[in-house]
Each structure stands twice: as C-alpha cells, then as structure tokens.
Amino acid sequence: MNRIFITFALILITCIGANAQKKLGDYIEINGVPAFVFSIDQTGEHGLAMTIPRNNHAFGLSKYSKRMIKVIDKMSEEGKLSSEKVTQLKEYFNSQGTAIVFKKDKELRPLYTELVGRLSDNGKVNAEQVDAFCKEKGISLKDFFPTFYAAKEQGEGWFLPGEKELKDFAVFYVGGLGKDNGFGAFKWAKQPKIKSDNELVQEALTWITRGQLYSSSMNVPKAGFRKLAWTFVKLTTKNYLDIYDRVSGNVDICFVYEF
C-alpha cells in the first residue's frame, strides 16, 4: 500500500513540475527562442509570450545586442547562468535575424485592398489569413510580407502580434488601465525591474518600450500594416490604447507565442 502511495505521489510531483505555473514577467525559452510572459490565465498554465528580440541591423538592434551580451556576462559572473547557457544565449543575440526589406507601398496597395477585409485585431488569425492569401495569389510570403515570414522563422507557433496582443502587452507593462497611467520619467525607468526579476527581460523591456512596434492589424489599405508610434507613452497615458498608423523611423519587431 505504501509503495502504491509513494508511486502515486511521484507521478503527481512529476505532473506538477511539467505544468509549472508561470507568472507575468517570467523568462522562458520556447524551442531555444528567449521570451517572456506578458499575459497569463488564472491557472498560470496558458497565456502569451513575447520574443526577446535579437540582432537585426534592419531595425537598429546591433547596440541592443551588445548590451544583452554585457547582461549575460554579468549574470554569468553572478552564477545565474551555466557556461552552456551563456554560449547558447550569446549565439542567439549575436545571430542576424531576418533582413527585412519592405516593398514600396504602391506595389502592395492592391494586395492591401484585398487583405484589409480579412484582418482583425488577432495576430494569430491574421497570420493564418496572410499565409492563405499568399497561397491563393501564388506569391512569396518572404518577398511580399517579410515580417510575417520572420515570425515563422522563429519556429512553429510564433506570429506577428495584432492590435489585441499589443494592447495586452501595454496593459501588462503598466499594470492595468486607468486615468493615472501617465507615469513620470522616473517611474518609466523603473517599470522593467518592476515587471520582471530576470535581467534579460528587464533589458528587453527597456529597449522595446523605448520606441515603436510593428503590428499585423490593418484598418485601411492606404495605411497598410500598422506601426505603433511611441507605443507605451501613447498607449498608456491620456491616449492609452489608441493605435497610431504608419509613423516614420525605425520600428522593432517582436513576435508572440500562445502557450
């Protein structure tokens, strides 16, 4: 009887370990891709994770990658990372992401006109729609919609976030919505550390929230896919959760995974 009980207990412990609860801000790796949790359900087992971006010169991330290497070295010195993990992470952050070259809007406008009615605020659905659209038209996802292709390159299950996922991310970052979300500069600087106890996630959050993010949502053909201008300043102050179309300058690309 005791043996049966001990066996059952071991099985239960194993199952609990396999389905360990996650929390907001947790650092995780999905098939070798560094990411962090920004949305989670009440069970702590299902939610959304966002990639920690890697080096991509098309989006000005070389300085960011050098900074991430310094963070990895610091974590290694503090005994927080094994030598194997240090090597793995350095290879990731030194590797070149997809070189994204956009076609001119006038070349894409006819395609945008057909696509706009199919797309929603859900990034996962949008990825499926764009993929199906390319197959219907006999065109290359890589050549015509490189950001969607770049998401696929992360591995199965990754997709470019839509308006819904980016709003969820904004809510995660400010800790909820409300009239008092207009943080001062000091508060903004502290946010990454508040949101995660992992230095890699803190550094990624500092970088990501500094500028703009790319979205798979589209409202009108002439705007094309949407770039969120100064995402977290505008999404979390008096204009919080308003999306700003087609801004100029560099944007960062982050991808989302539903677990």
Side-chain angles (χ1 to χ4, degrees), residues 69-250:
I69 298 299
K70 290 182 180 179
V71 175
I72 291 168
D73 286 337
K74 178 176 176 291
M75 292 177 72
S76 177
E77 290 171 5
E78 295 172 350
K80 296 177 181 178
L81 294 173
S82 66
S83 58
E84 182 182 0
K85 180 58 65 177
V86 168
T87 300
Q88 177 192 334
L89 288 171
K90 283 188 175 182
E91 285 179 355
Y92 178 87
F93 287 112
N94 277 322
S95 63
Q96 178 71 21
T98 302
I100 297 173
V101 180
F102 294 99
K103 288 183 176 293
K104 293 180 179 178
D105 282 354
K106 64 181 180 181
E107 296 180 69
L108 294 173
R109 195 71 54 80
L111 300 180
Y112 287 165
T113 301
E114 292 188 56
L115 263 176
V116 68
R118 300 191 187 192
L119 301 178
S120 66
D121 65 351
N122 187 307
K124 191 172 185 179
V125 172
N126 290 345
E128 293 168 355
Q129 289 293 334
V130 171
D131 197 40
F133 181 79
C134 286
K135 289 175 182 176
E136 289 171 20
K137 297 293 181 182
I139 58 177
S140 164
L141 185 71
K142 182 178 180 179
D143 291 339
F144 285 84
F145 304 105
T147 48
F148 289 83
Y149 177 81
K152 279 179 170 283
E153 279 203 319
Q154 307 307 302
E156 186 176 354
W158 288 99
F159 57 92
L160 190 68
E163 192 169 319
K164 173 188 175 297
E165 290 81 19
L166 291 177
K167 285 180 177 179
D168 287 345
F169 182 35
V171 172
F172 153 72
Y173 191 76
V174 300
L177 292 175
K179 64 180 181 179
D180 298 323
N181 284 333
F183 299 128
F186 180 77
K187 180 76 173 182
W188 279 109
K190 290 289 184 181
Q191 279 297 97
K193 292 185 178 181
I194 294 169
K195 292 303 165 192
S196 179
D197 57 8
N198 182 282
E199 291 95 323
L200 289 172
V201 177
Q202 292 170 10
E203 187 64 31
L205 285 171
T206 299
W207 185 272
I208 291 168
T209 55
R210 192 178 289 168
Q212 307 164 47
L213 285 170
Y214 204 77
S215 166
S216 69
S217 297
M218 183 193 295
N219 276 0
V220 291
K222 67 180 181 180
F225 294 103
R226 314 178 83 187
K227 301 173 186 176
L228 277 66
W230 291 105
T231 312
F232 298 93
V233 174
K234 288 187 176 178
L235 288 189
T236 57
T237 56
K238 64 180 181 179
N239 297 317
Y240 55 82
L241 297 193
D242 285 342
I243 306 296
Y244 289 73
D245 290 331
R246 302 298 289 180
V247 297
S248 60
N250 287 336

Side-chain angles (χ1 to χ4, degrees), residues 51-70:
T51 52
I52 295 179
R54 62 176 168 170
N55 193 27
N56 190 325
H57 296 300
F59 286 84
L61 292 180
S62 56
K63 289 182 181 178
Y64 158 82
S65 294
K66 290 176 182 176
R67 173 60 188 159
M68 293 302 270
I69 298 299
K70 290 182 180 179

